[in-house]
Amino acid sequence: MNEKEARLEQNSEGAGYLPGLAMDFVIFGFDQYQLKILLLEYRNTSLFALPGGFVKENENMNDAARRVLSERTGLSDIYLDQFYTFGDLARYDQAPLRTIMQAKGMNPTDDHWLLRRFVSVGYYALIDFIKATPTPDPLSDTCVWYTLENLPELMLDHKTIVEKALETLRADLDRKLGGIDSWAAPLLAKAFTMGELQKLYETILGQKLRRSSFQRKMLSLAILERLEKQYSGGAHKAPYLYQFIMEK
Amino acid sequence: MNEKEARLEQNSEGAGYLPGLAMDFVIFGFDQYQLKILLLEYRNTSLFALPGGFVKENENMNDAARRVLSERTGLSDIYLDQFYTFGDLARYDQAPLRTIMQAKGMNPTDDHWLLRRFVSVGYYALIDFIKATPTPDPLSDTCVWYTLENLPELMLDHKTIVEKALETLRADLDRKLGGIDSWAAPLLAKAFTMGELQKLYETILGQKLRRSSFQRKMLSLAILERLEKQYSGGAHKAPYLYQFIMEK
DNA sequence: CTATATTGTCTCATTATGGAACAATAATAA
DNA sequence: TTATTATTGTTCCATAATGAGACAATATAG
C-alpha cells in the first residue's frame, strides 16, 4: 500500500468531499482517427471502470470535473460536457469496490465512505490522444485506452454511462462545433483542412460522410475562415486551410 | 407551526435522505394554451422558489422525482425529464432559506441540514393544468401558477434553472413526441385534432407555425393514427381525430 | 339557404440534400 | 521532363424537404 492509498483508507469519512456525490468521466481520445475511451483497470480483480472523482466542499462541481480530468490526463483547457446524472439504487453495490480495496490490502468496514451509496454526475470529454498522459487514480493499477468496439465488461452501470455519453456527443456535434467552446478546436491544429475536420466527424459518428455535402454544410455554418493553401503533404492538389472564427 | 413543520425542524440531521442532494422542478402547465410554471411563495419574505425535494436513502433518484412531483401536483403518470445538475458554490447561500425558516417561527442553527450546501438535479415536467391540484410543501405558504412572461424574481439560481429547462424542452419536442413516453399524450384527450396538437407546439415554442407544414411533418413522423371525423364543435368543416400509435 | 370559419389537400417556388462528374494540381514515378 | 496518381474545390442535376399560399369541402350559426 503506497502513501496515497494509506491516506485514502485513513480518511474513512471522506472528509473534505461532498458526501454521496461522485462524478464519472467518459474521456474520448482520437488515435489515428480511431475513437477510444480511457478505462481504469484493477489488477487481480478483472474489474474495469470509468475514471471518476469527487467534489470538494468548497469547489464548484464543474470545476471539480476539470480538476479530476486534469489529474487523469494531465490536460487542461479541453472540451467537457455534463450529460446526465445517475441515481439508481442498483448502482449501490458494495461488492466490486470491496473486492478492489481488498485486492489492495485494505480492509474497509461496511460504512467506509467509499462503500456508501453514490449518485454520480456523468461528464464526457474530447481530448487529443497525443497530448494526454493517462494516470491511474490511487486505487487503480493502470489507466489505458480502449477502442469502443473492444470495451471489456465494466463495473456497475458504467456501460450505460458510456452509451448515454456517446449518444449525447453524437447528437450535439453540430450545435457545439463553433464558438469559444468548440469541441473540435482542441483536437485540430490551429489551421486544418476540410478533410481533417471531416475525418473527425466520421470517427465520432462511426460512419462515412459525403465529401461535397460535408463541405457545403460546414461552409454554410459560417464558423470557418479560409486561409491560404499551404499544405504540402501528398501527391495531389493542395487543400485550403481553415481556422475557426472566434467572435470577440 | 404545524405538525409537518415541527417534524422538519426536529429532523435537523435530515435523517432518511441522501445528504447534500436536492431536486428542483420546472413544472410546465397548460391553461387555455398559455404556458405556466408552478412556483412556491413564502409569505412575509417576498421570496419565490421552484418546487424541490430530496431523495430517500432507499429510493431511485428518478422515482424520488415522481414522488415529489406527485406530492406537489397530485398527479402521477406524467412526462418527466432530467435535464441538468447544478453544482455551483454560488448556490450555497444560507440567507434566503434562513429568512424563510425564521418567518415560519423556526430558529435553525448554522449546521441545520437544510442550510448546508446542496447540489441540485433539475427535472422538468409537462402537465395538464386542469388535472393538477397545486400543493405547497411544508415550508411554503402557497403554490401558484405563473406565466413565463410574468415570473417574479426567483431565489438562488432558480431563474437559470427555468431557462435551461425551457431550452431543453424546446429542443426535444420532436424527438420525444411519440412512443410510450410521449410528452404530448398526457396533455391531450385520447383522440385529438391536428389543430389541438399544433396549438400545444405553438404554446411551448412561443411562436406560430404554418398549418400545412405542420400537418405534413406530423403525418410524416408515422406516429399518428387517423380516426373517423367526429368533432362537432364549431361552424366549420369537421377535422379528423388522431391518436398516437402505441407500439407493443 | 346563406354566410362564415376552419379544415384537408394541392400547387408552386424556393431551398436543401444525395450522388456523381470534372477540371485543377502537388507530389511521385517513369 | 513528362506522365501518373490521388485528392481537392467546384459544379451539376435529380430528388427531397420546406415556405407560403390557394382552393374546394363542410359543419354550424344566422
Side-chain angles (χ1 to χ4, degrees):
Chain A
M1 196 186 306
N2 65 28
E3 190 194 343
K4 270 189 177 176
E5 288 160 13
R7 216 185 312 136
L8 207 66
E9 186 173 29
Q10 274 170 26
N11 181 8
S12 68
E13 289 304 314
Y17 291 105
L18 296 185
L21 186 69
M23 299 176 292
D24 282 307
F25 294 86
V26 182
I27 304 175
F28 294 103
F30 292 87
D31 180 22
Q32 303 294 100
Y33 298 107
Q34 265 205 312
L35 190 56
K36 304 192 166 183
I37 71 173
L38 207 49
L39 291 184
L40 300 175
E41 181 175 359
Y42 305 94
R43 223 185 304 277
N44 304 326
T45 65
S46 72
L47 284 169
F48 294 83
L50 291 172
F54 307 99
V55 184
K56 293 180 182 171
E57 281 171 352
N58 60 346
E59 185 181 39
N60 289 326
M61 190 176 68
N62 289 339
D63 292 341
R66 300 206 163 272
R67 170 178 56 77
V68 173
L69 189 56
S70 159
E71 288 167 3
R72 285 303 136 256
T73 66
L75 295 182
S76 54
D77 199 32
I78 45 79
Y79 185 85
L80 183 67
D81 217 21
Q82 182 197 311
F83 62 93
Y84 197 76
T85 297
F86 301 85
D88 275 5
L89 263 174
R91 307 191 84 251
Y92 179 39
D93 177 6
Q94 293 195 334
L97 205 55
R98 183 186 296 281
T99 301
I100 290 164
M101 294 172 85
Q102 283 171 349
K104 307 290 286 184
M106 304 159 95
N107 191 22
T109 56
D110 271 7
D111 65 341
H112 188 285
W113 70 291
L114 279 177
L115 296 180
R116 300 201 191 123
R117 176 181 175 185
F118 279 93
V119 165
S120 187
V121 181
Y123 287 86
Y124 70 84
L126 297 180
I127 73 168
D128 188 337
F129 188 89
I130 299 297
K131 297 180 188 150
T133 56
T135 309
D137 68 34
L139 273 180
S140 318
D141 293 294
T142 59
C143 190
V144 183
W145 293 104
Y146 286 80
T147 61
L148 274 176
E149 296 77 29
N150 298 321
L151 291 190
E153 186 130 353
L154 299 180
M155 254 174 65
L156 299 177
D157 59 348
H158 288 196
K159 183 74 188 300
T160 307
I161 297 179
V162 170
E163 286 164 358
K164 185 107 184 169
L166 190 59
E167 181 188 321
T168 309
L169 167 61
R170 286 176 172 170
D172 286 352
L173 275 194
D174 288 350
R175 207 160 49 77
K176 301 187 173 174
L177 175 61
I180 190 64
D181 204 34
S182 163
W183 60 265
L187 301 177
L188 296 163
K190 267 194 293 290
F192 50 89
T193 69
M194 193 61 78
E196 288 165 347
L197 181 58
Q198 182 175 342
K199 275 183 189 152
L200 259 189
Y201 260 81
E202 291 175 341
T203 305
I204 296 174
L205 295 177
Q207 60 179 12
K208 290 280 171 196
L209 300 175
R210 262 153 294 278
R211 197 168 55 90
S212 60
S213 302
F214 185 80
Q215 170 126 343
R216 193 160 42 189
K217 183 163 133 187
M218 287 302 125
L219 294 181
S220 76
L221 294 177
I223 57 172
L224 293 179
E225 180 180 6
R226 177 178 281 185
L227 310 174
E228 288 307 302
K229 302 186 185 188
Q230 288 172 0
Y231 189 75
S232 64
H236 52 73
K237 182 175 178 178
Y240 286 107
L241 293 175
Y242 295 87
Q243 62 186 22
F244 287 106
I245 299 170
M246 291 300 169
E247 64 269 46
K248 59 236 156 294
Chain B
M1 198 185 307
N2 66 26
E3 190 195 342
K4 270 190 176 174
E5 288 160 14
R7 215 186 313 136
L8 207 66
E9 185 173 30
Q10 274 169 27
N11 181 6
S12 68
E13 290 304 314
Y17 290 106
L18 296 185
L21 187 69
M23 299 176 292
D24 282 307
F25 294 86
V26 183
I27 304 173
F28 294 102
F30 292 88
D31 179 22
Q32 304 292 103
Y33 297 106
Q34 264 205 311
L35 190 56
K36 303 190 165 184
I37 71 173
L38 207 49
L39 292 183
L40 299 174
E41 181 174 359
Y42 304 94
R43 221 185 307 278
N44 303 326
T45 65
S46 72
L47 285 170
F48 293 83
L50 292 172
F54 308 100
V55 184
K56 292 180 181 171
E57 280 171 354
N58 60 347
E59 184 180 41
N60 289 327
M61 190 176 68
N62 289 338
D63 291 342
R66 299 205 166 274
R67 171 179 55 79
V68 172
L69 189 56
S70 159
E71 289 167 3
R72 286 303 136 257
T73 66
L75 294 183
S76 54
D77 199 33
I78 46 78
Y79 185 85
L80 182 67
D81 217 22
Q82 182 198 312
F83 62 94
Y84 197 76
T85 297
F86 300 85
D88 276 4
L89 264 174
R91 307 190 83 249
Y92 179 39
D93 178 6
Q94 293 196 334
L97 206 55
R98 183 186 296 281
T99 301
I100 290 164
M101 294 173 84
Q102 284 171 345
K104 306 292 285 185
M106 304 159 95
N107 191 21
T109 56
D110 270 7
D111 66 341
H112 188 283
W113 71 291
L114 279 176
L115 296 179
R116 298 198 193 124
R117 175 180 176 186
F118 278 93
V119 166
S120 187
V121 182
Y123 287 86
Y124 71 84
L126 297 179
I127 72 169
D128 188 338
F129 188 89
I130 299 298
K131 297 182 189 148
T133 55
T135 309
D137 67 34
L139 273 179
S140 318
D141 292 295
T142 58
C143 190
V144 183
W145 294 103
Y146 285 80
T147 61
L148 274 176
E149 296 76 30
N150 297 321
L151 291 190
E153 186 130 353
L154 299 180
M155 254 174 67
L156 300 175
D157 59 349
H158 287 195
K159 182 74 187 297
T160 306
I161 297 178
V162 170
E163 285 164 359
K164 185 108 184 169
L166 191 58
E167 182 188 320
T168 309
L169 166 61
R170 285 176 174 168
D172 286 353
L173 275 194
D174 287 350
R175 207 159 50 78
K176 301 187 173 175
L177 175 62
I180 189 65
D181 204 34
S182 163
W183 59 265
L187 303 177
L188 296 163
K190 265 194 293 290
F192 51 88
T193 69
M194 192 61 77
E196 287 165 348
L197 181 58
Q198 182 174 342
K199 276 184 187 152
L200 258 189
Y201 260 81
E202 291 175 342
T203 306
I204 295 174
L205 295 177
Q207 61 179 12
K208 289 281 171 196
L209 299 175
R210 262 152 295 277
R211 196 169 55 91
S212 60
S213 302
F214 185 81
Q215 170 126 342
R216 192 161 43 189
K217 183 163 134 188
M218 287 303 124
L219 294 183
S220 76
L221 294 177
I223 58 173
L224 293 179
E225 179 181 5
R226 177 178 281 184
L227 310 175
E228 288 307 301
K229 302 185 183 188
Q230 289 172 359
Y231 190 74
S232 64
H236 51 74
K237 182 175 176 177
Y240 287 107
L241 292 176
Y242 295 88
Q243 62 186 25
F244 288 105
I245 299 170
M246 292 298 168
E247 65 267 48
K248 57 230 157 299

